[in-house]
Amino acid sequence: MVEALTSAPPEAIDDHTLMLRVREGDIPMLGELFQRHARPLYGFFVRLTGDRAGSDDMVQQVFHRILRYRHTYRDVGSFTGWMYIIARRVLADFQRHRAQHQPPAEEPALEQLADERTHAADAAEAGDQTALLHRALATLPEDVREVIVLARFQELPYEEVARILDISLSAVKTRIHRAMKDLRAAYFRIQEIPPMGLPTATREKESA
Amino acid sequence: MNCDETILLLADYESGRLSAADMRRVREHLDRCPACAQELQLQRQLDLAIKRERRPEPGAHVHTAFHAWLEAEARAMPAPRHVAAAPERTNIIRVSFWNHPATISGFVAVAACAVFALGLVVGSRTGSSSGAQFANQQNAAEIAALREQVASMSQAVTWQTLQQPNAGDRIQAVRVMASADLNPVDVNQLLGLVAFDSNSQVRESAVQALYRYADRPTVRTAVARALVRESAPVVQLAMIDFLANTRDPEATAALETLVHNQNQNPLVREAATYALTRM
Ligand SMILES: [Zn+2]
């Protein structure tokens, strides 16, 4: 099957076949996979860490590891799922590295919450709903954030999310439900909107 | 359908992930329950916010760096590389410190020998175009600094770099080694880190740096032995990946040990099981 597609342009080949070709040593095919996945992957990292420079770096690390570990790519299964498994390891390394190099980093992130409303008000004034959403996301515990980013922001099928997180499908569903509820609460709290209440003064300036 | 059941299905209801029957049951409940209907309203506001999210974009340099790196990699690996399938391994070259409990001193001795070689390797690369291989932007500057430092430093000082109490410094040293063609002494140096470094990230980096030498039986054996003692899942997974392509009997035994140990991390056991199916 791989042979039959050899003459097709990379853009016309599916992820799985591209990865099989990379595995067989056709290294440049990785360029097309990067083209397709670098942006969502970056989104995954940035939503989970809020660290743009670090996320730039992690995207590259994922592709370095894909190449290095290409022999372990399975014939069955999806490229996306495998890529996110690698991405989670890269993320874990990154966080461990960050913790080692700036140990108090975790604390200020939490302290920051007290200060959050001021920032949120600024963001709302600027009509920056995305910033608010990301800020709300940042208040959630890591595992909750991860499931929501994969299932809702990255829009991966639940089966894929279950494989990536190595949990059952029903566990994914329950977790997503809880996660969405938490995110919602954080999102409205950050905007100082009581659930179903009237918008506050900061909201009235919103342009969008 | 009661409120609890309904609420649990709301997110899926909104995104149309429910069966037709469940969709209908949820809709019926919503029609007669203001509380759940309100819940749905909130859900919708959030869904809308997610839909309107500005999708984050990586920096422009990421592209450039990636393609430069890929080009360098493709040039370095013109042909597919196959791990030797035949069991060519012999037991003659055993790094001495594997057999001793007093391993640290052995390690230090090996490390001391390796330092000079590392200095040479690293020094010879300074100023070459090998920078493209380090697409890792975050570390590129640090690595460049380290290279410069290493090139200009005396042997003793270089050795200290590898013995730094700061794990970040040791990782940088490993990364520099990872990009070079190493002689057997350097390789032993990496194996020493894999087995004995106190920091799991250093150990993992060292495993990765050894990937190009996976076809050497001594390297496989050493990694397999280190795997049995390893307790950090991240390092275990890196080692399992590493061993997945070998047919080394010692690797098989190490993987089987993991598979049968109920106390192991489930991910690690799964990875080991999978690796065994390929051996
Ligand atoms: Zn109800």
Side-chain angles (χ1 to χ4, degrees):
Chain A
M1 191 182 82
V2 175
E3 306 308 324
L5 286 167
T6 316
S7 55
E11 310 87 72
I13 305 175
D14 65 87
D15 286 355
H16 177 63
T17 310
L18 282 174
M19 188 57 219
L20 289 180
R21 285 180 56 175
V22 171
R23 195 182 72 179
E24 299 313 318
D26 192 353
I27 308 301
M29 288 296 125
L30 192 61
E32 177 62 23
L33 287 168
F34 179 85
Q35 211 62 36
R36 293 179 196 177
H37 295 282
R39 196 179 303 179
L41 203 50
Y42 176 79
F44 171 74
F45 288 130
V46 100
R47 290 176 190 122
L48 286 176
T49 64
D51 182 335
R52 290 182 176 272
S55 298
D56 278 346
D57 186 54
M58 284 187 279
V59 168
Q60 298 181 64
Q61 295 227 8
V62 168
F63 283 91
H64 294 183
R65 289 196 193 184
I66 285 175
L67 187 63
R68 201 181 293 140
Y69 295 150
R70 64 189 185 281
H71 298 297
T72 68
Y73 183 69
R74 309 174 193 203
D75 284 330
V76 287
S78 94
F79 172 75
T80 308
W82 186 64
M83 182 185 76
Y84 277 107
I85 289 172
I86 293 177
R88 293 183 78 223
R89 287 190 213 165
V90 167
L91 179 64
D93 290 352
F94 173 80
Q95 282 163 337
R96 202 165 339 105
H97 185 79
R98 198 162 62 168
Q100 273 166 7
H101 288 260
Q102 19 177 276
E106 291 307 310
E107 300 309 322
L110 292 174
E111 301 277 287
Q112 223 173 291
L113 290 182
D115 201 23
E116 205 161 67
R117 294 194 169 193
T118 332
H119 293 302
D122 292 347
E125 232 165 284
D128 195 348
Q129 295 298 311
T130 299
L132 288 178
L133 187 61
H134 286 180
R135 233 181 272 285
L137 202 52
T139 65
L140 304 183
E142 169 115 16
D143 57 329
V144 176
R145 215 183 316 157
E146 194 170 37
V147 77
I148 231 173
V149 165
L150 288 171
R152 287 293 152 142
F153 288 77
Q154 314 283 125
E155 297 183 319
L156 295 181
Y158 288 175
E159 290 78 10
E160 193 88 275
V161 177
R163 255 198 306 274
I164 294 168
L165 300 180
D166 197 30
I167 56 179
S168 71
L169 192 57
S170 61
V172 169
K173 288 182 184 170
T174 349
R175 234 189 248 187
I176 286 178
H177 167 72
R178 262 209 325 268
M180 286 299 273
K181 219 172 160 159
D182 290 354
L183 179 61
R184 216 165 62 200
Y187 183 63
F188 292 126
R189 191 182 64 233
I190 261 176
Q191 298 183 78
E192 299 184 284
I193 302 170
M196 287 315 278
L198 290 169
T200 61
T202 39
R203 275 281 285 187
E204 282 161 7
K205 291 184 187 170
E206 138 186 285
S207 52
Chain B
M1 187 172 278
N2 64 28
C3 289
D4 286 347
E5 287 168 323
T6 304
I7 284 183
L8 201 60
L9 294 177
L10 275 186
D12 290 337
Y13 172 78
E14 266 305 275
S15 53
R17 298 203 205 208
L18 294 182
S19 68
D22 278 342
M23 291 293 277
R24 190 172 36 81
R25 288 165 65 210
V26 170
R27 203 174 311 122
E28 279 167 12
H29 180 91
L30 289 170
D31 283 345
R32 56 187 163 75
C33 175
C36 286
Q38 176 176 322
E39 185 82 8
L40 180 66
Q41 274 316 108
L42 293 173
Q43 176 78 47
R44 283 193 174 141
Q45 286 186 49
L46 180 62
D47 285 342
L48 196 65
I50 292 177
K51 250 188 214 99
R52 288 186 178 160
E53 185 213 24
R54 261 195 332 280
R55 304 286 154 176
E57 291 274 351
H61 67 274
V62 175
H63 249 255
T64 325
F66 170 81
H67 287 289
W69 166 80
L70 187 62
E71 207 175 294
E73 288 291 334
R75 237 181 295 122
M77 288 183 279
R81 203 171 20 181
H82 298 290
V83 173
E88 50 178 284
R89 80 185 260 280
T90 56
N91 288 326
I92 34 174
I93 317 168
R94 270 277 152 81
V95 183
S96 64
F97 56 73
W98 299 116
N99 301 329
H100 291 285
T103 46
I104 298 303
S105 60
F107 168 42
V108 168
V110 173
C113 298
V115 168
F116 185 59
L118 176 70
L120 288 180
V121 167
V122 170
S124 69
R125 298 178 69 85
T126 316
S128 79
S129 65
S130 67
Q133 291 175 13
F134 287 102
N136 185 329
Q137 291 294 304
Q138 184 197 24
N139 295 313
E142 290 169 66
I143 290 173
L146 178 72
R147 260 196 217 132
E148 223 164 83
Q149 204 185 1
V150 164
S152 64
M153 272 186 319
S154 74
Q155 187 175 330
V157 182
T158 314
W159 182 75
Q160 277 175 4
T161 306
L162 290 156
Q163 299 293 308
Q164 281 293 328
N166 183 336
D169 293 344
R170 298 202 298 283
I171 290 167
Q172 295 303 347
V174 169
R175 288 195 179 150
V176 170
M177 292 178 84
S179 70
D181 286 319
L182 301 179
N183 64 33
V185 181
D186 294 327
V187 173
N188 285 345
Q189 161 86 337
L190 287 174
L191 289 173
L193 292 177
V194 167
F196 302 116
D197 198 279
S198 58
N199 179 284
S200 63
Q201 212 182 338
V202 174
R203 298 198 298 278
E204 196 207 356
S205 302
V207 170
Q208 285 164 358
L210 284 165
Y211 219 78
R212 328 156 69 169
Y213 309 97
D215 55 344
R216 295 189 192 172
T218 46
V219 172
R220 299 204 299 259
T221 305
V223 172
R225 290 187 177 190
L227 174 59
V228 177
R229 288 193 305 265
E230 181 58 55
S231 59
V234 180
V235 187
Q236 290 173 315
L237 288 168
M239 289 171 163
I240 292 167
D241 279 344
F242 181 94
L243 295 169
N245 286 297
T246 73
R247 300 189 180 175
D248 193 296
E250 192 133 12
T252 309
L255 292 167
E256 272 165 0
T257 310
L258 288 186
V259 171
H260 295 121
N261 183 349
Q262 304 287 335
N263 298 325
Q264 285 292 346
N265 177 305
L267 247 183
V268 169
R269 291 177 66 199
E270 199 244 338
T273 308
Y274 174 67
L276 278 173
T277 63
R278 304 188 58 196
M279 298 179 80

